[in-house]
Amino acid sequence: MGTRPALGDRLRAALDRFEPPPRAVDWSLFAFVVAEAATGLVSFTVGVPEGWPLFWLHRALGVGIVTLLAWKLARVRRQLTDPGRWRRSTALSVLTLLAALGALATGIAWVFGLDVRISYWTLLSVHVGFGLALVPLVAAHATTRFRLPRRVDFERRRTALRYTVLLAAGGAAYRLQQGVNDALDTAGADRRFTGSQPRGGEGNAAFPITSWVADDPDPIDRDDYRLRVGGLVRDPVELTAAELAAGHETEALLDCTSGWYTVQEWGGIRVGDLLDAAGGVESGAGIDAGPTDRDPAYVRFTSVTGYRWSLPIDEARDALLATHVGGERLSHGHGAPARLVAPDRRGFQWVKWVTRVEVRSEYDLGQWVVTLVSGVE
Ligand SMILES: Nc1nc2c(c(=O)[nH]1)N[C@H]1C(S)=C(S)[C@@H](COP(=O)(O)O)O[C@H]1N2
Ligand SMILES: [Mo]
């Protein structure tokens, strides 16, 4: 009479059978980390609900990394715990492991609504820091023990099955977490699909002042302030702060990539009206001439600090140059005398302290660099 193995042993045996060959684990980890960094970075530019699959992919990949890392650690643990086997590359391995654990831990803590803040650095910002550090670390780590993948490591059907199961399990784990968060009513429960947590209330005091890296200008004198509207318009004009307070109101959601969002009533002037005040846009050539390089296509908003962002012209017309929030005049920190309100765009695109509005024909690639370094001397 044979005894049946215990459930735990059978489960472990099943997991072992599911475990890919070592080289496949290594390459998958590398691919998952790269994909994780890519989905994370791209998600920063997404503000519309249709972009949800990107955020789910990021989460599922994250849970997948936990599993891959567990397999890898089980295999290499002696190299780490036995001083006799330490090499120079071991330090790099440990550093890579710490960055991975840091990114995973902060990501998981954020999902459960933990809200630790150091000035405007949220746990989500720390998560991003670990994630960005991980990319060069993983790349360097991979070169110290580079082995080309072999066909046998990635036998087609099994590999496809494993990846599907891994990602599905990741998605299921995330779904399960939502249930737990809802049941316990944690701060993680009312995060937006972007992962951002709500900041309630109305007006200047209701939400944090967030500047990307180093933008921190002196307050702008309201009486001296002029907004220049130029570029491909018929009659470039300069407007005063009082002229911008035209009383047009719109409710819009500001969602910052550092992990918070707020819904406010913004007041000011529609950008379309602003362009009309400058005589309307100047069409390039005749109507029949087809697209020319002088056709108005974008509106660029530039801050007194040089920070800038552009919107396609049709979207820009419906955007607001705001002088007020929640019925109050905008405070300096929130961009007085005027800031861009760009619904469905992420917070970093809502340029504060706007002094220049230009209609342009070309896409402004430089804005990606300028928003990162603006204010750094
Ligand atoms: N000129 C300028 N505009 C800026 C920024 C900046 O650093 N400089 N930060 C952006 C970021 S990252 C966000 S989230 C919003 C935050 O707006 P708030 O400070 O009013 O909350 O402003 C955006 N506009
Ligand atoms: Mo932001």
Side-chain angles (χ1 to χ4, degrees):
M1 248 181 52
T3 48
R4 283 166 63 79
L7 183 68
D9 290 337
R10 273 188 293 158
L11 213 64
R12 194 163 316 127
L15 259 181
D16 284 349
R17 234 175 306 126
F18 188 70
E19 180 176 346
R23 224 186 319 245
V25 170
D26 288 353
W27 277 95
S28 302
L29 259 177
F30 183 70
F32 272 49
V33 167
V34 170
E36 194 67 331
T39 50
L41 286 174
V42 174
S43 80
F44 268 12
T45 67
V46 176
V48 288
E50 295 75 48
W52 67 266
L54 190 67
F55 296 89
W56 273 80
L57 183 59
H58 187 77
R59 290 151 187 165
L61 284 167
V63 181
I65 289 175
V66 174
T67 312
L68 289 167
L69 207 55
W71 277 325
K72 166 121 192 177
L73 281 176
R75 179 174 42 127
V76 303
R77 66 175 181 277
R78 282 226 187 75
Q79 267 135 295
L80 295 179
T81 51
D82 175 3
R85 298 173 67 168
W86 286 351
R87 312 209 173 89
R88 215 182 301 156
S89 62
T90 309
L92 185 61
S93 307
V94 171
L95 218 58
T96 311
L97 176 64
L98 289 179
L101 293 178
L104 288 170
T106 46
I108 292 165
W110 180 258
V111 161
F112 282 99
L114 216 74
D115 192 6
V116 193
R117 271 175 266 175
I118 310 158
S119 87
Y120 59 77
W121 292 94
T122 59
L123 214 50
L124 189 65
S125 326
V126 180
H127 172 72
V128 173
F130 275 122
L132 290 179
L134 197 54
V135 175
L137 281 173
V138 163
H141 172 77
T143 58
T144 65
R145 41 197 75 236
F146 183 79
R147 281 179 205 88
L148 273 178
R150 291 219 227 104
R151 276 290 271 287
V152 292
D153 296 332
F154 288 98
E155 202 248 304
R156 273 230 324 270
R157 272 180 48 200
R158 291 202 61 169
T159 306
L161 178 73
R162 281 191 187 117
Y163 278 76
T164 309
V165 172
L166 215 56
L167 287 181
Y174 187 76
R175 186 69 196 86
L176 205 69
Q177 156 282 132
Q178 285 182 319
V180 172
N181 263 331
D182 285 342
L184 301 179
D185 199 19
T186 66
D190 28 84
R191 285 174 313 118
R192 226 183 148 221
F193 72 95
T194 58
S196 293
Q197 300 171 357
R199 297 284 178 267
E202 274 173 41
N204 287 296
F207 57 105
I209 290 168
T210 304
S211 285
W212 190 234
V213 192
D215 250 26
D216 185 21
D218 290 332
I220 297 174
D221 186 305
R222 239 183 98 74
D223 297 326
D224 291 347
Y225 172 83
R226 293 291 180 278
L227 175 78
R228 287 189 284 145
V229 185
L232 301 174
V233 294
R234 292 207 182 82
D235 304 304
V237 283
E238 294 198 347
L239 298 170
T240 64
E243 286 171 307
L244 297 182
H248 191 95
E249 297 213 324
T250 188
E251 191 183 79
L253 186 153
L254 168 57
D255 185 341
C256 172
T257 48
S258 70
W260 57 266
Y261 75 89
T262 186
V263 178
Q264 297 290 331
E265 188 73 28
W266 305 89
I269 186 167
R270 260 189 79 242
V271 173
D273 294 345
L274 212 56
L275 300 183
D276 290 344
V281 298
E282 185 186 288
S283 40
I287 296 163
D288 302 327
T292 71
D293 61 357
R294 294 273 302 160
D295 273 335
Y298 297 95
V299 181
R300 179 161 82 178
F301 303 85
T302 308
S303 171
V304 69
T305 64
Y307 190 105
R308 63 184 200 235
W309 202 262
S310 298
L311 299 177
I313 193 157
D314 289 333
E315 180 184 353
R317 278 183 205 281
D318 287 331
L320 192 77
L321 207 64
T323 53
H324 288 71
V325 61
E328 305 166 8
R329 189 178 276 175
L330 219 56
S331 68
H332 164 61
H334 288 307
R339 68 101 47 86
L340 178 63
V341 168
D344 292 338
R345 295 279 182 164
R346 294 304 290 268
F348 73 89
Q349 293 154 324
W350 294 37
V351 183
K352 300 192 281 193
W353 312 291
V354 175
T355 54
R356 206 144 42 103
V357 172
E358 293 158 280
V359 177
R360 293 161 45 91
S361 56
E362 270 150 56
Y363 182 77
D364 180 14
L365 203 57
Q367 67 193 5
W368 291 96
V369 179
V370 171
T371 46
L372 288 180
V373 302
S374 172
V376 181
E377 313 269 334

